[in-house]
PDB file of all heavy atoms in Angstrom:
ATOM      1  N   VAL A 187      16.157 -11.337  44.884  1.00 98.00           N
ATOM      2  CA  VAL A 187      14.739 -11.354  44.469  1.00 98.00           C
ATOM      3  C   VAL A 187      14.569 -12.207  43.220  1.00 98.00           C
ATOM      4  O   VAL A 187      13.585 -12.974  43.070  1.00 98.00           O
ATOM      5  CB  VAL A 187      14.247  -9.937  44.252  1.00 98.00           C
ATOM      6  CG1 VAL A 187      12.805  -9.963  43.718  1.00 98.00           C
ATOM      7  CG2 VAL A 187      14.253  -9.159  45.579  1.00 98.00           C
ATOM      8  N   LEU A 188      15.521 -12.109  42.272  1.00 98.00           N
ATOM      9  CA  LEU A 188      15.433 -12.886  41.066  1.00 98.00           C
ATOM     10  C   LEU A 188      15.619 -14.365  41.332  1.00 98.00           C
ATOM     11  O   LEU A 188      14.991 -15.182  40.714  1.00 98.00           O
ATOM     12  CB  LEU A 188      16.471 -12.392  40.018  1.00 98.00           C
ATOM     13  CG  LEU A 188      16.413 -13.033  38.646  1.00 98.00           C
ATOM     14  CD1 LEU A 188      15.016 -12.899  38.012  1.00 98.00           C
ATOM     15  CD2 LEU A 188      17.463 -12.429  37.714  1.00 98.00           C
ATOM     16  N   VAL A 189      16.492 -14.679  42.312  1.00 98.00           N
ATOM     17  CA  VAL A 189      16.667 -16.091  42.703  1.00 98.00           C
ATOM     18  C   VAL A 189      15.366 -16.659  43.230  1.00 98.00           C
ATOM     19  O   VAL A 189      14.899 -17.737  42.800  1.00 98.00           O
ATOM     20  CB  VAL A 189      17.744 -16.190  43.823  1.00 98.00           C
ATOM     21  CG1 VAL A 189      17.716 -17.594  44.448  1.00 98.00           C
ATOM     22  CG2 VAL A 189      19.150 -15.954  43.226  1.00 98.00           C
ATOM     23  N   ALA A 190      14.690 -15.927  44.143  1.00 98.00           N
ATOM     24  CA  ALA A 190      13.424 -16.403  44.703  1.00 98.00           C
ATOM     25  C   ALA A 190      12.336 -16.498  43.623  1.00 98.00           C
ATOM     26  O   ALA A 190      11.556 -17.467  43.586  1.00 98.00           O
ATOM     27  CB  ALA A 190      13.004 -15.453  45.823  1.00 98.00           C
ATOM     28  N   THR A 191      12.293 -15.506  42.745  1.00 98.00           N
ATOM     29  CA  THR A 191      11.278 -15.482  41.683  1.00 98.00           C
ATOM     30  C   THR A 191      11.468 -16.680  40.728  1.00 98.00           C
ATOM     31  O   THR A 191      10.521 -17.293  40.302  1.00 98.00           O
ATOM     32  CB  THR A 191      11.321 -14.168  40.905  1.00 98.00           C
ATOM     33  OG1 THR A 191      11.125 -13.085  41.822  1.00 98.00           O
ATOM     34  CG2 THR A 191      10.259 -14.137  39.828  1.00 98.00           C
ATOM     35  N   THR A 192      12.720 -16.930  40.374  1.00 98.00           N
ATOM     36  CA  THR A 192      13.029 -18.027  39.450  1.00 98.00           C
ATOM     37  C   THR A 192      12.625 -19.382  40.075  1.00 98.00           C
ATOM     38  O   THR A 192      12.009 -20.205  39.379  1.00 98.00           O
ATOM     39  CB  THR A 192      14.527 -18.042  39.147  1.00 98.00           C
ATOM     40  OG1 THR A 192      14.888 -16.794  38.530  1.00 98.00           O
ATOM     41  CG2 THR A 192      14.888 -19.201  38.176  1.00 98.00           C
ATOM     42  N   ALA A 193      12.966 -19.574  41.343  1.00 98.00           N
ATOM     43  CA  ALA A 193      12.617 -20.838  42.012  1.00 98.00           C
ATOM     44  C   ALA A 193      11.095 -20.985  42.060  1.00 98.00           C
ATOM     45  O   ALA A 193      10.540 -22.070  41.800  1.00 98.00           O
ATOM     46  CB  ALA A 193      13.217 -20.870  43.398  1.00 98.00           C
ATOM     47  N   TYR A 194      10.382 -19.918  42.399  1.00 96.00           N
ATOM     48  CA  TYR A 194       8.935 -19.967  42.522  1.00 96.00           C
ATOM     49  C   TYR A 194       8.284 -20.172  41.159  1.00 96.00           C
ATOM     50  O   TYR A 194       7.346 -20.999  41.022  1.00 96.00           O
ATOM     51  CB  TYR A 194       8.421 -18.661  43.150  1.00 96.00           C
ATOM     52  CG  TYR A 194       6.922 -18.614  43.330  1.00 96.00           C
ATOM     53  CD1 TYR A 194       6.273 -19.471  44.172  1.00 96.00           C
ATOM     54  CD2 TYR A 194       6.197 -17.655  42.642  1.00 96.00           C
ATOM     55  CE1 TYR A 194       4.892 -19.399  44.343  1.00 96.00           C
ATOM     56  CE2 TYR A 194       4.805 -17.592  42.793  1.00 96.00           C
ATOM     57  CZ  TYR A 194       4.167 -18.463  43.646  1.00 96.00           C
ATOM     58  OH  TYR A 194       2.804 -18.401  43.781  1.00 96.00           O
ATOM     59  N   MET A 195       8.734 -19.457  40.148  1.00 96.00           N
ATOM     60  CA  MET A 195       8.152 -19.545  38.819  1.00 96.00           C
ATOM     61  C   MET A 195       8.296 -20.962  38.268  1.00 96.00           C
ATOM     62  O   MET A 195       7.248 -21.573  37.836  1.00 96.00           O
ATOM     63  CB  MET A 195       8.824 -18.547  37.850  1.00 96.00           C
ATOM     64  CG  MET A 195       8.315 -18.695  36.411  1.00 96.00           C
ATOM     65  SD  MET A 195       9.328 -17.822  35.225  1.00 96.00           S
ATOM     66  CE  MET A 195      10.811 -18.836  35.187  1.00 96.00           C
ATOM     67  N   PHE A 196       9.472 -21.495  38.249  1.00 97.00           N
ATOM     68  CA  PHE A 196       9.665 -22.850  37.692  1.00 97.00           C
ATOM     69  C   PHE A 196       9.025 -23.915  38.560  1.00 97.00           C
ATOM     70  O   PHE A 196       8.580 -24.941  38.039  1.00 97.00           O
ATOM     71  CB  PHE A 196      11.149 -23.122  37.478  1.00 97.00           C
ATOM     72  CG  PHE A 196      11.711 -22.460  36.232  1.00 97.00           C
ATOM     73  CD1 PHE A 196      12.706 -21.495  36.317  1.00 97.00           C
ATOM     74  CD2 PHE A 196      11.261 -22.857  34.992  1.00 97.00           C
ATOM     75  CE1 PHE A 196      13.218 -20.893  35.187  1.00 97.00           C
ATOM     76  CE2 PHE A 196      11.779 -22.243  33.831  1.00 97.00           C
ATOM     77  CZ  PHE A 196      12.708 -21.263  33.933  1.00 97.00           C
ATOM     78  N   GLY A 197       8.998 -23.676  39.889  1.00 96.00           N
ATOM     79  CA  GLY A 197       8.311 -24.631  40.752  1.00 96.00           C
ATOM     80  C   GLY A 197       6.846 -24.711  40.428  1.00 96.00           C
ATOM     81  O   GLY A 197       6.236 -25.814  40.456  1.00 96.00           O
ATOM     82  N   ARG A 198       6.229 -23.576  40.078  1.00 93.00           N
ATOM     83  CA  ARG A 198       4.826 -23.574  39.668  1.00 93.00           C
ATOM     84  C   ARG A 198       4.621 -24.167  38.298  1.00 93.00           C
ATOM     85  O   ARG A 198       3.559 -24.778  38.009  1.00 93.00           O
ATOM     86  CB  ARG A 198       4.305 -22.137  39.695  1.00 93.00           C
ATOM     87  CG  ARG A 198       4.148 -21.497  41.059  1.00 93.00           C
ATOM     88  CD  ARG A 198       2.934 -22.090  41.800  1.00 93.00           C
ATOM     89  NE  ARG A 198       1.727 -21.887  41.038  1.00 93.00           N
ATOM     90  CZ  ARG A 198       0.978 -20.796  41.109  1.00 93.00           C
ATOM     91  NH1 ARG A 198       1.292 -19.794  41.902  1.00 93.00           N
ATOM     92  NH2 ARG A 198      -0.107 -20.693  40.392  1.00 93.00           N
ATOM     93  N   LEU A 199       5.593 -24.025  37.429  1.00 94.00           N
ATOM     94  CA  LEU A 199       5.456 -24.550  36.037  1.00 94.00           C
ATOM     95  C   LEU A 199       5.651 -26.038  35.938  1.00 94.00           C
ATOM     96  O   LEU A 199       5.244 -26.659  34.965  1.00 94.00           O
ATOM     97  CB  LEU A 199       6.459 -23.834  35.113  1.00 94.00           C
ATOM     98  CG  LEU A 199       6.212 -22.334  34.861  1.00 94.00           C
ATOM     99  CD1 LEU A 199       7.385 -21.720  34.151  1.00 94.00           C
ATOM    100  CD2 LEU A 199       4.914 -22.119  34.039  1.00 94.00           C
ATOM    101  N   VAL A 200       6.295 -26.635  36.919  1.00 95.00           N
ATOM    102  CA  VAL A 200       6.614 -28.069  36.843  1.00 95.00           C
ATOM    103  C   VAL A 200       5.375 -28.916  36.571  1.00 95.00           C
ATOM    104  O   VAL A 200       5.416 -29.841  35.757  1.00 95.00           O
ATOM    105  CB  VAL A 200       7.306 -28.514  38.152  1.00 95.00           C
ATOM    106  CG1 VAL A 200       7.257 -30.026  38.320  1.00 95.00           C
ATOM    107  CG2 VAL A 200       8.764 -28.016  38.184  1.00 95.00           C
ATOM    108  N   LEU A 201       4.289 -28.615  37.275  1.00 90.00           N
ATOM    109  CA  LEU A 201       3.069 -29.425  37.116  1.00 90.00           C
ATOM    110  C   LEU A 201       2.467 -29.259  35.685  1.00 90.00           C
ATOM    111  O   LEU A 201       1.813 -30.184  35.212  1.00 90.00           O
ATOM    112  CB  LEU A 201       2.028 -29.010  38.163  1.00 90.00           C
ATOM    113  CG  LEU A 201       2.397 -29.370  39.628  1.00 90.00           C
ATOM    114  CD1 LEU A 201       1.280 -28.908  40.539  1.00 90.00           C
ATOM    115  CD2 LEU A 201       2.629 -30.852  39.744  1.00 90.00           C
ATOM    116  N   ASP A 202       2.656 -28.123  35.088  1.00 91.00           N
ATOM    117  CA  ASP A 202       2.146 -27.903  33.714  1.00 91.00           C
ATOM    118  C   ASP A 202       2.858 -28.839  32.685  1.00 91.00           C
ATOM    119  O   ASP A 202       2.280 -29.127  31.684  1.00 91.00           O
ATOM    120  CB  ASP A 202       2.368 -26.463  33.262  1.00 91.00           C
ATOM    121  CG  ASP A 202       1.530 -25.480  34.051  1.00 91.00           C
ATOM    122  OD1 ASP A 202       0.632 -25.926  34.811  1.00 91.00           O
ATOM    123  OD2 ASP A 202       1.789 -24.262  33.940  1.00 91.00           O
ATOM    124  N   HIS A 203       4.091 -29.199  32.978  1.00 94.00           N
ATOM    125  CA  HIS A 203       4.897 -29.861  32.000  1.00 94.00           C
ATOM    126  C   HIS A 203       5.077 -31.378  32.267  1.00 94.00           C
ATOM    127  O   HIS A 203       6.097 -31.945  31.963  1.00 94.00           O
ATOM    128  CB  HIS A 203       6.291 -29.200  31.923  1.00 94.00           C
ATOM    129  CG  HIS A 203       6.185 -27.738  31.590  1.00 94.00           C
ATOM    130  ND1 HIS A 203       7.067 -26.762  32.061  1.00 94.00           N
ATOM    131  CD2 HIS A 203       5.300 -27.060  30.823  1.00 94.00           C
ATOM    132  CE1 HIS A 203       6.729 -25.597  31.593  1.00 94.00           C
ATOM    133  NE2 HIS A 203       5.671 -25.751  30.823  1.00 94.00           N
TER     134      HIS A 203
END
Side-chain angles (χ1 to χ4, degrees):
V187 175
L188 186 55
V189 167
T191 302
T192 300
Y194 180 65
M195 176 193 71
F196 281 115
R198 289 286 302 274
L199 291 170
V200 163
L201 293 179
D202 294 349
H203 301 148

